[in-house]
């Protein structure tokens, strides 16, 4: 027997886009929807009864999520962030090597700019990386730094900045530097 009266939620779409769907496990289209609760009589919504929480509905699986899921990068965006991170770390270490090869002892003047650039690229990525991913990026930079011999103070300083930007502790960064130095190339 159908309900004669009750509360029904009516939804209105207010936006769309792409997001990482935790239900499907991949990049999907979504609808951003707001709802209003209404008193219904014979299934017909009549009187307003308040608002419902804004939701994000996956267009593929139709599951609704809180809007905070939009803070997670899509698979495509995550791949681009990861690529940019690896390139930036490699370029930072190579910049230090170029400065040293030019006969300068350090990167004092450009070190701040280098650290800022590292943070601009790595800060948005770091919260989404597993610890092993952060360590791998850091180890790749260490291998580049070791290509011409032991770490110089400038290389060490740059790699420490990479570790901080990737949310690695000082101890983890030093441990990774030591591991890379002991690993044959």
């Amino acid at each position: 027997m159908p309900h004669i009266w009750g509360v029904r939620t009516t939804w209105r779409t207010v936006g769309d886009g792409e997001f990482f769907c935790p239900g499907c496990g991949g990049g999907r289209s979504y609808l951003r929807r707001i709802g209003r609760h209404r008193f219904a009589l014979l299934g017909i919504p009549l009187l307003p009864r308040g608002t419902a929480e804004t939701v994000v509905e996956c267009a593929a699986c139709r599951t609704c999520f809180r809007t905070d899921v939009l803070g997670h990068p899509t698979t495509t965006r995550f791949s681009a962030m990861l690529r940019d991170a690896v390139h930036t770390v490699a370029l930072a270490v190579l910049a230090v090597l170029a400065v040293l090869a030019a006969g300068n002892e350090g990167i004092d003047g450009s070190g701040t700019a280098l650290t800022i650039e590292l943070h601009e690229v790595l800060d948005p990525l770091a919260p989404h990386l597993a610890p092993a991913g952060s360590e791998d990026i850091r180890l790749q930079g260490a291998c580049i730094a070791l290509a011409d011999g032991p770490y110089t103070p400038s290389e060490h300083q740059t790699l420490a900045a990479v570790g901080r930007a990737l949310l690695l502790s000082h101890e983890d960064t030093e441990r990774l530097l030591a591991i890379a130095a002991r690993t044959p190339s």
Side-chain angles (χ1 to χ4, degrees):
M1 181 170 160
H3 294 283
I4 296 178
W5 64 273
V7 176
R8 183 172 171 189
T9 304
T10 56
W11 295 96
R12 183 170 57 102
T13 301
V14 294
D16 60 9
E18 288 190 22
F19 80 127
F20 180 82
C21 177
C24 296
R28 304 284 188 258
S29 296
Y30 73 85
L31 298 174
R32 178 180 231 147
R33 306 191 71 188
I34 58 172
R36 296 203 46 93
H37 299 300
R38 297 184 179 271
F39 177 74
L41 183 61
L42 298 174
I44 301 170
L46 300 172
L47 302 172
R49 298 285 296 164
T51 59
E53 181 178 5
T54 301
V55 297
V56 173
E57 180 182 313
C58 177
C61 69
R62 295 297 204 216
T63 304
C64 292
F65 302 96
R66 295 176 57 149
T67 57
D68 60 352
V69 299
L70 298 178
H72 301 280
T74 63
T75 306
T76 303
R77 178 68 185 127
F78 184 76
S79 295
M81 291 167 67
L82 193 54
R83 181 197 65 233
D84 291 347
V86 170
H87 288 167
T88 301
V89 169
L91 290 173
V93 174
L94 290 171
V96 171
L97 291 171
V99 167
L100 294 171
N104 295 327
E105 291 185 19
I107 56 168
D108 296 332
S110 63
T112 302
L114 201 59
T115 300
I116 289 170
E117 185 173 346
L118 284 169
H119 278 280
E120 285 177 353
V121 173
L122 299 177
D123 285 353
L125 175 66
H128 304 289
L129 282 176
S134 295
E135 290 181 0
D136 190 51
I137 292 172
R138 175 63 190 73
L139 282 171
Q140 289 178 25
C143 290
I144 294 168
L146 290 167
D148 66 340
Y151 302 115
T152 65
S154 294
E155 290 170 334
H156 192 276
Q157 175 187 353
T158 301
L159 293 170
V162 169
R164 285 190 302 277
L166 290 172
L167 306 176
L168 295 172
S169 69
H170 176 73
E171 294 77 21
D172 284 342
T173 296
E174 293 302 318
R175 178 182 55 81
L176 291 170
L177 281 172
I179 289 170
R182 289 191 308 266
T183 304
S185 9

